Amino acid sequence: CPMVQLREGTAYFTTYTKGGDGDPANAVYQASITDVTRSCKRVNGMLTMTVAAAGKVVPGPKADGKTISLPIRVAIVEGDNVLYSQLQPFQVTIVAGQAATQFVFNDPNPSISDASAKAVQVFVGFDEGAPKKKKTEGEG
């Protein structure tokens, strides 16, 4: 059963109020993945995995006690080939003023050829999508 890894830069995810990006005083929440694991089942030449990630969400100064959606991606790659990639919005309810909320995410769907299992890398982590383009001087 292939090991699960956190890709660099995907273990933390912070959301800010509109226009407050990067300012800790405008943080709505910060989420972190603290542990990853997997289980595997082999049937008819296929390896089916359940990939799990555990973590916590810490409300920021702008938290308003609501359900948030964490963008969690599970990906399986073999060299440059992507065998499986699924971005899933994972719902967590945060409570303003509470120290932290723990969560456990599971993806029971990854399935690959058993023959590929020894050569793959399995990643899980937060994925915000493509970075937003910043305006440069002179752009309107």
Side-chain angles (χ1 to χ4, degrees), residues 5-30:
Q5 305 170 52
L6 277 168
R7 188 170 267 164
E8 187 174 333
T10 67
Y12 299 95
F13 178 70
T14 304
T15 297
Y16 300 93
T17 57
K18 188 172 182 172
D21 287 2
D23 181 357
N26 289 314
V28 178
Y29 66 87
Q30 182 176 49

Side-chain angles (χ1 to χ4, degrees), residues 54-72:
K56 62 184 175 180
V57 180
V58 178
K62 299 295 183 181
D64 57 3
K66 62 179 182 177
T67 298
I68 58 170
S69 184
L70 299 176
I72 300 178

Side-chain angles (χ1 to χ4, degrees), residues 120-133:
V120 300
Q121 291 181 290
V122 181
F123 296 103
V124 63
F126 296 117
D127 185 347
E128 299 177 67
K132 293 181 178 108
K133 183 180 174 189

Side-chain angles (χ1 to χ4, degrees), residues 100-116:
T101 300
Q102 294 184 342
F103 68 88
V104 176
F105 163 85
N106 286 293
D107 182 353
N109 299 314
S111 185
I112 59 171
S113 164
D114 197 22
S116 297

Side-chain angles (χ1 to χ4, degrees), residues 33 38 57 67 81 89 92 98 106 110 135:
I33 295 174
R38 81 285 182 240
V57 180
T67 298
N81 296 325
V92 176
Q98 185 173 333
N106 286 293
K135 288 185 180 180

